[in-house]
C-alpha cells in the first residue's frame, strides 16, 4: 500500500480555476482564432450549457474544429508547453498548498480534460492522473475521444479500476462541477 490516504482532485474549476480546454486552445491557436471559433461553435456551446448536448460530443466537436489533423507530436509538444508554463498561473492557491503538504498521501487528478495538456504538470508535481483520452490516426489527432469522457460516473469507474479503495483509511475528494457529484460519493474516513 502506497499510503493510507487517497486524495482525488478534479482539475478544471477546482484545482485549476479555469477551464483548461478553453485555456489550452487559446494558447495553442491564438486569441483571434480562438474567439472566432467560439463564435462559430456558439450554437453547440449554448446547447451544452442548456444541457441539450452532452459533454463528450461537445468536446469532440471542439477538438475536431480546432485541432483535427494536427500532427500528434506538435499537439503533444504544445500541450507540454502549456502544462509547464501556464497551469501554475491559475491554480487554486489554497488547495494547491494543501496538496503539497500531503507528503504521505496518494494524490490523483481525476479530470475530463485530456492528458496532453496536463500530464507534464502532473508528473512534475508527482501526482497521478486519470483523464479523458484522445484518439489519433496516422500520427494525427482526429478530434475524437478514445473511449468515454472522464466525467460523472466514468470518474468513479476509472478510480475503482486503478485503486483498491479498501486499502485506504481516508479518501478525500475535491470537486466543484456537475461531473464530480459521483466522485464526491467516494469520500470516507475510518476511525
Amino acid at each position: 500500500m502506497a499510503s493510507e490516504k487517497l486524495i482525488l482532485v478534479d482539475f478544471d474549476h477546482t484545482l485549476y480555476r479555469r477551464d483548461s480546454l478553453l485555456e489550452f486552445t487559446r494558447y495553442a491557436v491564438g486569441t483571434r482564432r480562438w474567439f472566432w471559433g467560439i463564435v462559430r461553435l456558439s450554437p453547440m456551446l449554448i446547447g451544452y450549457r442548456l444541457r441539450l448536448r452532452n459533454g463528450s460530443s461537445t468536446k469532440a466537436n471542439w477538438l475536431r474544429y480546432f485541432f483535427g489533423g494536427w500532427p500528434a507530436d506538435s499537439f503533444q509538444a504544445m500541450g507540454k508547453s502549456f502544462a509547464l508554463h501556464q497551469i501554475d498561473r491559475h491554480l487554486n492557491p489554497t488547495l494547491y498548498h494543501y496538496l503539497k503538504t500531503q507528503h504521505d498521501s496518494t494524490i490523483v487528478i481525476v479530470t475530463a480534460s485530456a492528458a496532453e495538456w496536463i500530464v507534464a504538470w502532473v508528473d512534475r508535481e508527482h501526482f497521478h492522473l486519470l483523464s479523458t483520452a484522445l484518439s489519433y490516426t496516422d500520427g494525427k489527432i482526429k478530434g475524437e475521444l478514445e473511449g468515454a469522457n472522464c466525467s460523472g460516473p466514468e470518474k468513479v469507474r476509472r478510480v475503482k479500476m486503478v485503486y483498491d479503495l479498501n486499502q485506504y483509511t481516508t479518501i478525500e475528494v475535491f470537486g466543484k462541477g456537475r461531473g464530480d457529484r459521483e466522485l464526491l460519493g467516494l469520500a470516507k474516513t475510518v476511525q
Side-chain angles (χ1 to χ4, degrees), residues 77-155:
M78 184 66 72
K80 181 177 182 179
S81 177
F82 173 82
L84 297 177
H85 303 292
Q86 299 297 313
I87 287 177
D88 288 332
R89 297 174 55 203
H90 299 293
L91 289 173
N92 173 331
T94 304
L95 179 55
Y96 176 70
H97 175 72
Y98 173 73
L99 295 175
K100 294 306 285 183
T101 66
Q102 301 301 303
H103 304 294
D104 294 330
S105 300
T106 300
I107 300 171
V108 185
I109 306 300
V110 187
T111 180
S113 289
E116 282 80 353
W117 58 85
I118 299 173
V119 71
W121 181 86
V122 170
D123 289 347
R124 186 189 75 195
E125 298 297 323
H126 305 289
F127 298 158
H128 303 268
L129 179 64
L130 297 173
S131 65
T132 297
L134 303 183
S135 181
Y136 295 87
T137 301
D138 299 325
K140 295 184 178 180
I141 187 165
K142 288 173 57 175
E144 309 259 337
L145 307 185
E146 185 73 39
N149 192 28
C150 188
S151 183
E154 181 65 15
K155 285 188 174 188

